[in-house]
Amino acid sequence: MRTAIVTGGASGIGRAVCRELGGRGVHVVVADLDGAGAERVAGEIGGSGVRLDVTDARAVEDLVTGVRDDRGRLDFVFNNAGIAVGGTAEELTLDHWNRTIDVNLRGVVHGVHAAYPVMIRQGFGHIVNTASLAGLVPTPMMAPYAATKHAVVGLSLALRTEAAAHGVKVSVVCPGFVDTPLLDHVNPGLPRTRTGTSARRSAIRAQGRLYSADALAGDIMRGLARDRALIVVPASGRLAWLGARLSPSLAVRVASLAVRRLGRDRRSGDSS
Ligand code: NAD
């Protein structure tokens, strides 16, 4: 039976991916910092749930080798766990930077480092890393997040070019905003910032109907079936990406407008 590990599988995008995989007859190991949540999702799909902190390289390694030993194969590893960190650069502390790098970048590195040798030995497997549209286009007020997501895109594309020779596939998922609890938990366990929390959240919500995690999970499955290097979704995200490639400087100017608008809103808020 095909087997997958999904980190961050207790919530949002990870949970939707677990359900898609479960529905396709894949045995899913749901791994999350929220162990009870992981077990709940696993219970719904007949998989197994474990508590995992992706910042702990040893724990990630033990999980990957344990799953390979128990199940006899490892078809997919979704390095999906991540946190949202937001605020203008002057508001952010080094803790904001370090925590983002630890979870969003090192967490993915740990998953890749553990799973890649296993998949090379098998001669097959698919590593799927969740980055973000913020890994492809300029995204103000979330510099650490954007930095880690660009790094995950770079890591994934580089690895993909090497992995093909071993029969191993690598894809990276770059969604625009998705309606998940992440949007309500900006800077978890970190100092609050004015621009990273409620102001940012309401601006995102005000953009209208958000892309759902279920729709994204379906798009991810279609992208994986076609062995896409980059899965950039929804269509509005692909348009933004195209704009940034056609004119990087125009994309920066457009993003700067959002920063200026925020500055104006702040000044009018301060004076009222
Ligand atoms: P979410 O908050 O709903 O789910 C994230 C899950 O990751 C949670 O269950 C959380 O407990 C888990 N997690 C956090 N830190 C962890 C750690 N150290 N070890 C293990 N698990 C940990 O968020 P989501 O929106 O589903 O995000 C999933 C991924 O998608 C993230 O990498 C995020 O950056 C990315 N993403 C989200 C959006 C969006 O708008 N929601 C857009 C683009 C990319």
Side-chain angles (χ1 to χ4, degrees), residues 151-164:
V152 170
V153 171
L155 176 166
S156 305
L157 297 181
L159 184 66
R160 182 179 168 94
T161 61
E162 298 177 26

Side-chain angles (χ1 to χ4, degrees), residues 8 10-13 32-33 52-55 80-83 103 130-132 145 149 175-178 180-183:
S11 173
I13 297 165
D32 202 291
L33 200 53
L52 175 76
D53 183 347
V54 295
T55 67
N80 166 77
I83 55 168
V103 180
T130 308
S132 166
Y145 186 85
K149 296 303 187 179
F177 288 117
V178 187
T180 73
L182 179 117
L183 300 182

Side-chain angles (χ1 to χ4, degrees), residues 136-140 240 243-245 247-260:
L136 298 171
V137 305
T139 42
R245 278 177 293 154
S247 178
S249 50
L250 180 63
V252 169
R253 280 212 297 280
V254 170
S256 308
L257 293 176
V259 179
R260 275 216 293 275

Side-chain angles (χ1 to χ4, degrees), residues 30-47:
V30 186
D32 202 291
L33 200 53
D34 171 7
E39 282 177 21
R40 249 191 323 274
V41 174
E44 288 170 21
I45 58 170

Side-chain angles (χ1 to χ4, degrees), residues 52-112:
L52 175 76
D53 183 347
V54 295
T55 67
D56 181 345
R58 184 65 193 271
V60 175
E61 176 104 40
D62 288 350
L63 175 70
V64 167
T65 52
V67 170
R68 189 269 326 269
D69 292 348
D70 289 351
R71 310 283 317 167
R73 58 187 290 158
L74 181 58
D75 296 82
F76 299 99
V77 170
F78 288 80
N79 293 304
N80 166 77
I83 55 168
V85 170
T88 52
E90 69 269 26
E91 291 181 292
L92 299 173
T93 65
L94 265 184
D95 284 345
H96 288 95
W97 283 95
N98 288 331
R99 184 80 190 137
T100 321
I101 292 166
D102 282 345
V103 180
N104 292 6
L105 178 54
R106 287 206 173 85
V108 174
V109 171
H110 295 158
V112 166

